[in-house]
Amino acid sequence: MPTIELSHVSKVYRTIKKDSGLRGAVKALFRPHYVEKVAVHDLSFHVDAGEVVGYIGVNGAGKSTTIKMLTGILHPSGGSIRVLGRDPHRERVANAREIGVVFGQRTQLWWDLALRESLNLIANIYELEPARYRQLLAEFAQTLELEELLSVPIRSMSLGQKMRAELAATFLHQPRVVYLDEPTIGLDVMVKERIRAFIRDQNQRNGTTVMLTTHDLDDIEQLCQRVIIIDAGSVVYDGPLSTIKQRFGTFRSIAFETAHPLEIEHLILPLGTAIASHGERALEVRFDRTVTSASQVATALMPQIEAIDFSLAEPDLESIIKQIYAGTHTAALREEVLV
Amino acid sequence: MRRYARLYWHFLLQRFKILLEYRMNFVIGAGSTVLLQAAGLLAVWSVMRQIPDLNGWTFDEILLVYGLITLSKSINHMFADNLWIFGRAYIRTGGFDRFLVRPINPLFHLLADRFCHDGIGNFVVGIALVLKASLALHIAWTPINIAYCLVAVVSGGVIFIALNLLTAVSAFWIIDSIPVTSAIFQTHEFAKYPLTIYSRGIGIVMTWLIPYGFASFYPAAHLLGRPIGVLAWLGPLIAVALITLAYRIWLWGLSHYSSTGS
Amino acid sequence: MTLALRRKGRLYRSIAVMTFKQYLAYNLWFWVQLLGQILMMTVFVFFWRAVYAGRGTVGGLEQQQTITYILLAQMIAPLVQWGQILPMGDLVREGMIAIELTRPVDLQERFYIETLSSLGYSLLQQVLTVGLFARFVFHLQLPSDPAIWAAFGLTLLLGNAILFCFDWMFACLAFYSTEVWGLHVVREGTVMFFSGALVPLVMLPGWLQSVASWMPFSQALYTPVALLSGIIPAAQAPQVWLVQLAWLAALAVGSRVVFRLAVRKVTVQGG
């Protein structure tokens, strides 16, 4: 039995469209005008015990709706969801005992309480055995470097300290499934490393199943064997990270800043390149490094545009996802490259 | 049940730790409600010292009514103040989602999350008023009277909480539920005085529709030996019925929330 | 000179218009506040009717006089209820105060214009809503002499300015304490009682009357309302104004000084 299983899940929000002002409010009361918004459509995938899966998509793709359904906050409009064999909405409390959630920037800790007090309260909510709690607290204090923070109230912690505290709170009741929404956003490299190490450690030692949404490619590379990419509420890719990297990771881009306004239509592009974006005095060119190289592209373009500055960029996950979304365009680009 | 009692105790303990840290706020917060009550009482006293009675009720008898409703209100104020800001502070910010991923009743979590110290002021004022009135009126504190008083105050508190819960559910739709709650809550002003001074319609509303009368006037009348028949005993029943209804409606609001995510 | 005046006029008008728009934005709040006021009015009227049951005068006032006073006092009460400490608290807490102080408009002046325009709007609103209710349900009776109305208007305007200066000083406490809500409640309790919103001040025992007379609050509510309901004879209006001008002068100076001291605290601590 898979740990997480979604089959043909859909979620449609039905909201009342209101005109502004009192008249609109009254009208909405008597003759509501409903607007339907499809957040998730025919979503199916499953995750096995002990997997660490990257759940990727741009904002509004349906990521947080999925997480809210998996945690039991929302119930789906259609299809079925099973987490550890349960319907997470119907059996919300039983489900809650076995899951942990990090909701992005919103802390689950009490703003004015010292971290130790917050963790005590959470241990009480989850009915942890006192001896076990003490043992885990000591362990987490060490691995997440929390010793000095235990007496500090959350309100006086830095972003990185807050996230470390947050992770301790999330894993304290030893959940079997953990949903992490942007656990490394805005943190510096050192803290990111520590957080990833902690997640990896929990996964390896306890077999915790982890679903991770992130915009950070390094998070995915270091933690996830598998990624699921969704767009407009449906899965567009489900498979190993390596495939994606092979297919799309060979792209690089060069951004130019030019002295004079560009005449884009007169530009002659070298083989294996395409214009990714352009402005009046800015141009970004994407190229496949298995076909050409940065210096070749630059040499070919510099005489045409009189660049005053240029920079080379590795592809980030965002841009790779954009390429996958723009499927047809990508296919065309690849053909062009391969010809 | 025992688990929730223990858990509430833990929440309360942490809350007091915070309050000790902000001692000044604690004093100002609890003291301010005392002052507000004092202003209202001073006004009533200034008027009542010039007349022997108000519709057959002496100043001390009115104090009893006033004291009982203040006590009932303080229960709501101390233990259920979060119902006021539920929409603003928990739905709008998404904080309520956190309650839903924890293995405890979300309504319990909401109420336990913030014990409101300002209510302590009301509580102290209420106790003082009831004591002052009972001494002046020679109400014997027999075990029966004490038990009656306790039940009456708790019932009154539950009526306050139930009405606030009933109106707070609107937050699932309109997010900021404060105006809705406030519309109903404000009517408790009527119940600060004997209901007999009002027109019959108001009396009926305060008894059967928005039953704040059971938080003050009816128990006071009973303690003073006035014949009010079965109304003297209906308070707890009405409180239970109302809180059950309010909880049902809360659950209905919750199911709406889980289908729309607000 | 005229250019500067015109620019100020435009500025003040735009502040006033914005205050009005904010008013309308709170539809639901508007109705609930109206309901609350009607409710309180009803409680008070029934209370006072019971007080007067079978009695000719209480505390030297007749029933009709007292009920007129109470109805009017309830209409004016929202104008004195709020003060300035809550908005000031917001400014201080969010660190906006430093930005506000660098603007080319004097902050106190701006707040006063806002208060003045909201005095106008809420007066209009009160008359059209609660006023009509009081007129038709509780038979509110008002004088027909335009001179009394003019005297009332001037007294209200002066009283409002006096209360504003006091509130400005009180709001400076926001620089020293984060518990602005508690402070606001303390102010509300004090002002509601000593302004005469709950009981006509002449009904208070002597010692409380003298306490009230040493506070500025009655100037904003009791004095104008007592003029309009005939408790203070119109002939005494000039004396009333002299007293009000003295209050205003003292508090206007005081509020400037206190605010400067409070601001110094912010600049020293760097916000």
Side-chain angles (χ1 to χ4, degrees):
Chain A
M1 181 187 69
T3 299
I4 299 172
E5 191 171 18
L6 289 88
S7 47
H8 310 290
V9 170
S10 67
K11 180 73 202 171
V12 180
Y13 294 119
R14 208 166 82 127
T15 50
I16 297 171
K17 196 181 158 217
K18 253 194 294 190
D19 296 329
S20 59
L22 183 66
R23 238 173 79 205
V26 171
K27 224 170 76 185
L29 203 63
F30 293 108
R31 276 178 52 197
H33 175 58
Y34 289 104
V35 185
E36 292 201 337
K37 185 176 165 277
V38 181
V40 162
H41 172 68
D42 197 22
L43 188 68
S44 301
F45 63 83
H46 59 84
V47 178
D48 288 319
E51 270 193 285
V52 183
V53 174
Y55 194 55
I56 316 286
V58 291
N59 293 332
K63 279 180 303 183
S64 52
T65 300
T66 313
I67 301 290
K68 280 185 176 179
M69 288 193 290
L70 286 170
T71 49
I73 296 170
L74 291 180
H75 67 70
S77 325
S80 83
I81 301 180
R82 295 265 138 191
V83 175
L84 298 164
R86 291 190 198 92
D87 177 332
H89 179 68
R90 284 233 175 78
E91 299 161 80
R92 196 176 48 74
V93 172
N95 181 58
R97 279 183 195 287
E98 309 215 57
I99 64 166
V101 195
V102 170
F103 283 123
Q105 301 289 292
R106 296 201 307 257
T107 180
Q108 63 174 301
L109 301 160
W110 285 264
W111 199 243
D112 289 312
L113 285 181
L115 175 57
R116 185 193 298 279
E117 316 278 11
S118 269
L119 294 177
N120 280 345
L121 213 44
I122 286 172
N124 276 307
I125 289 173
Y126 286 93
E127 296 177 280
L128 256 67
E129 206 188 302
R132 179 85 180 121
Y133 167 55
R134 274 195 299 276
Q135 182 202 335
L136 279 172
L137 186 60
E139 194 184 304
F140 287 0
Q142 206 189 6
T143 50
L144 286 166
E145 289 182 0
L146 293 173
E147 279 100 347
E148 276 110 56
L149 293 179
L150 283 174
S151 55
V152 177
I154 311 306
R155 60 162 195 275
S156 7
M157 287 187 184
S158 71
L159 206 58
Q161 292 172 329
K162 247 180 245 168
M163 187 46 80
R164 273 147 57 202
E166 190 74 17
L167 281 173
T170 304
F171 283 90
L172 197 59
H173 60 287
Q174 300 283 278
R176 288 166 67 192
V177 183
V178 171
Y179 307 99
L180 303 172
D181 182 14
E182 300 286 357
T184 60
I185 196 164
L187 306 181
D188 66 54
V189 184
M190 291 290 286
V191 181
K192 279 183 182 176
E193 283 303 326
R194 175 144 313 276
I195 283 173
R196 288 175 195 140
F198 177 78
I199 296 171
R200 198 163 36 233
D201 180 56
Q202 289 293 313
N203 166 256
Q204 280 164 3
R205 280 204 299 174
N206 306 325
T208 316
T209 309
V210 178
M211 247 181 106
L212 176 75
T213 74
T214 184
H215 282 89
D216 190 323
L217 186 57
D218 291 338
D219 280 352
I220 305 272
E221 276 189 324
Q222 293 184 31
L223 290 170
C224 308
Q225 300 88 17
R226 177 182 159 203
V227 288
I228 297 171
I229 300 178
I230 65 164
D231 180 35
S234 309
V235 174
V236 292
Y237 177 85
D238 181 353
L241 180 65
S242 50
T243 312
I244 296 190
K245 291 201 74 171
Q246 273 168 18
R247 275 181 62 190
F248 302 101
T250 58
F251 289 94
R252 294 287 181 276
S253 66
I254 304 183
F256 297 95
E257 201 182 313
T258 62
H260 307 291
L262 280 167
E263 284 173 53
I264 227 75
E265 57 273 18
H266 294 201
L267 228 51
I268 302 161
L269 291 172
L271 192 69
T273 63
I275 293 172
S277 67
H278 63 86
E280 202 187 51
R281 286 164 198 266
L283 174 71
E284 193 183 343
V285 174
R286 189 158 52 221
F287 66 93
D288 187 333
R289 71 186 169 110
T290 58
V291 177
T292 180
S293 72
S295 62
Q296 280 174 340
V297 175
T299 319
L301 284 172
M302 291 288 221
Q304 301 183 60
I305 57 174
E306 197 176 335
I308 53 174
D309 195 10
F310 74 98
S311 59
L312 185 67
E314 297 246 331
D316 57 359
L317 201 58
E318 200 88 345
S319 67
I320 291 184
I321 294 169
K322 274 189 201 138
Q323 291 179 56
I324 297 174
Y325 283 173
T328 49
H329 171 73
T330 320
L333 178 70
R334 285 202 66 79
E335 263 163 43
E336 196 181 307
V337 166
L338 293 173
V339 165
Chain B
M1 198 63 195
R2 260 186 63 194
R3 177 184 166 222
Y4 278 107
R6 225 171 43 97
L7 204 51
Y8 195 87
W9 174 245
H10 284 291
F11 271 100
L12 202 60
L13 227 57
Q14 303 304 347
R15 183 78 193 148
F16 273 108
K17 277 183 197 157
I18 296 176
L19 291 178
L20 280 181
E21 201 183 330
Y22 297 99
R23 234 160 299 168
M24 201 53 208
N25 291 13
F26 184 90
V27 172
I28 294 177
S32 63
T33 51
V34 174
L35 207 112
L36 208 54
Q37 294 293 348
L41 279 165
L42 207 57
V44 176
W45 172 76
S46 302
V47 178
M48 291 294 291
R49 80 197 165 93
Q50 321 203 26
I51 53 174
D53 66 276
L54 186 78
N55 209 292
W57 290 66
T58 65
F59 178 59
D60 287 315
E61 289 175 328
I62 288 177
L63 277 193
L64 186 64
V65 177
Y66 211 106
L68 284 174
I69 200 152
T70 306
L71 273 177
S72 297
K73 191 162 71 167
S74 79
I75 290 181
N76 172 55
H77 199 172
M78 288 188 288
F79 299 110
D81 203 56
N82 252 358
L83 291 176
W84 282 99
I85 56 166
F86 169 55
R88 270 190 192 185
Y90 292 90
I91 299 258
R92 179 172 293 155
T93 61
F96 188 61
D97 287 350
R98 173 55 60 187
F99 294 172
L100 291 174
V101 298
R102 286 199 171 132
I104 53 175
N105 184 309
L107 180 59
F108 169 83
H109 204 326
L110 176 70
L111 298 188
D113 214 45
R114 191 171 65 95
F115 169 88
C116 183
H117 60 281
D118 294 0
I120 296 176
N122 272 339
F123 183 72
V124 172
V125 170
I127 293 272
L129 290 179
V130 171
L131 281 181
K132 154 83 173 79
S134 69
L135 285 175
L137 298 165
H138 309 291
I139 296 172
W141 284 117
T142 59
I144 292 185
N145 272 352
I146 292 176
Y148 181 85
C149 233
L150 276 177
V151 172
V153 166
V154 171
S155 306
V158 170
I159 289 172
F160 266 98
I161 294 174
L163 289 171
N164 276 14
L165 176 58
L166 212 56
T167 46
V169 172
S170 64
F172 285 122
W173 283 267
I174 59 170
I175 298 183
D176 189 359
S177 59
I178 297 178
V180 183
T181 301
S182 154
I184 299 296
F185 179 81
Q186 291 177 98
T187 61
H188 85 274
E189 294 288 340
F190 283 111
K192 283 183 172 173
Y193 309 100
L195 290 184
T196 47
I197 69 168
Y198 305 107
S199 63
R200 253 191 79 208
I202 295 177
I204 290 172
V205 168
M206 297 317 288
T207 308
W208 301 113
L209 209 59
I210 312 174
Y212 285 127
F214 292 100
S216 62
F217 173 66
Y218 293 115
H222 174 74
L223 285 169
L224 294 170
R226 285 166 203 250
I228 51 164
V230 72
L231 289 173
W233 307 99
L234 271 186
L237 237 74
I238 287 191
V240 169
L242 204 58
I243 194 78
T244 312
L245 175 74
Y247 188 66
R248 283 273 166 86
I249 291 187
W250 160 266
L251 290 180
W252 175 62
L254 198 60
S255 78
H256 170 81
Y257 180 75
S258 63
S259 72
T260 63
S262 89
Chain C
M1 182 64 199
T2 44
L3 199 72
L5 262 178
R6 249 169 53 202
R7 203 163 52 216
K8 272 219 157 152
R10 249 203 319 272
L11 176 72
Y12 290 158
R13 203 178 60 214
S14 66
I15 295 175
V17 167
M18 211 176 62
T19 315
F20 185 57
K21 278 190 177 157
Q22 277 171 350
Y23 247 90
L24 291 182
Y26 298 107
N27 267 323
L28 201 50
W29 281 101
F30 170 79
W31 293 109
V32 167
Q33 267 168 13
L34 183 60
L35 184 79
Q37 270 196 285
I38 286 176
L39 224 115
M40 286 309 290
M41 228 176 218
T42 312
V43 172
F44 273 101
V45 168
F46 276 104
F47 176 81
W48 284 100
R49 279 186 191 162
V51 166
Y52 274 97
R55 286 176 266 264
T57 60
V58 173
L61 297 181
E62 285 164 19
Q63 175 167 355
Q64 189 54 54
Q65 231 172 358
T66 306
I67 297 230
T68 303
Y69 175 91
I70 285 297
L71 289 174
L72 289 171
Q74 286 296 302
M75 284 168 66
I76 306 295
L79 309 182
V80 305
Q81 196 180 357
W82 288 102
Q84 307 294 342
I85 192 165
L86 293 180
M88 185 69 88
D90 287 346
L91 284 186
V92 173
R93 194 179 49 248
E94 284 153 23
M96 287 294 288
I97 188 77
I99 298 166
E100 291 294 336
L101 288 174
T102 60
R103 296 222 166 121
V105 198
D106 182 87
L107 190 64
Q108 189 178 3
E109 233 172 81
R110 203 196 87 192
F111 268 63
Y112 179 64
I113 297 299
E114 280 180 12
T115 308
L116 200 60
S117 65
S118 90
L119 172 76
Y121 290 128
S122 22
L123 211 56
L124 189 71
Q125 178 199 312
Q126 290 294 82
V127 168
L128 290 180
T129 54
V130 201
L132 289 177
F133 181 83
R135 176 75 190 82
F136 291 109
V137 179
F138 296 128
H139 314 294
L140 172 66
Q141 287 176 8
L142 294 168
S144 50
D145 185 358
I148 294 185
W149 282 97
F152 164 77
L154 184 57
T155 316
L156 186 67
L157 203 64
L158 284 170
N160 187 260
I162 292 168
L163 186 66
F164 172 79
C165 288
F166 167 82
D167 280 333
W168 191 254
M169 287 199 265
F170 188 75
C172 290
L173 284 175
F175 289 92
Y176 301 91
S177 167
T178 53
E179 185 76 333
V180 286
W181 181 257
L183 288 169
H184 162 74
V185 174
V186 168
R187 177 203 168 276
E188 191 186 355
T190 315
V191 172
M192 287 313 250
F193 184 80
F194 287 105
S195 67
L198 306 174
V199 185
L201 294 179
V202 282
M203 279 203 188
L204 300 186
W207 61 277
L208 266 178
Q209 280 193 50
S210 54
V211 172
S213 68
W214 284 105
M215 293 182 172
F217 312 126
S218 61
Q219 303 300 333
L221 193 147
Y222 174 75
T223 312
V225 171
L227 261 172
L228 201 56
S229 57
I231 295 174
I232 297 177
Q236 280 180 27
Q239 280 138 281
V240 164
W241 293 330
L242 274 180
V243 174
Q244 284 191 313
L245 284 173
W247 269 114
L248 187 57
L251 288 177
V253 173
S255 63
R256 296 302 274 199
V257 173
V258 169
F259 184 63
R260 197 164 302 162
L261 288 175
V263 166
R264 192 173 301 161
K265 180 177 176 286
V266 175
T267 42
V268 166
Q269 291 184 350

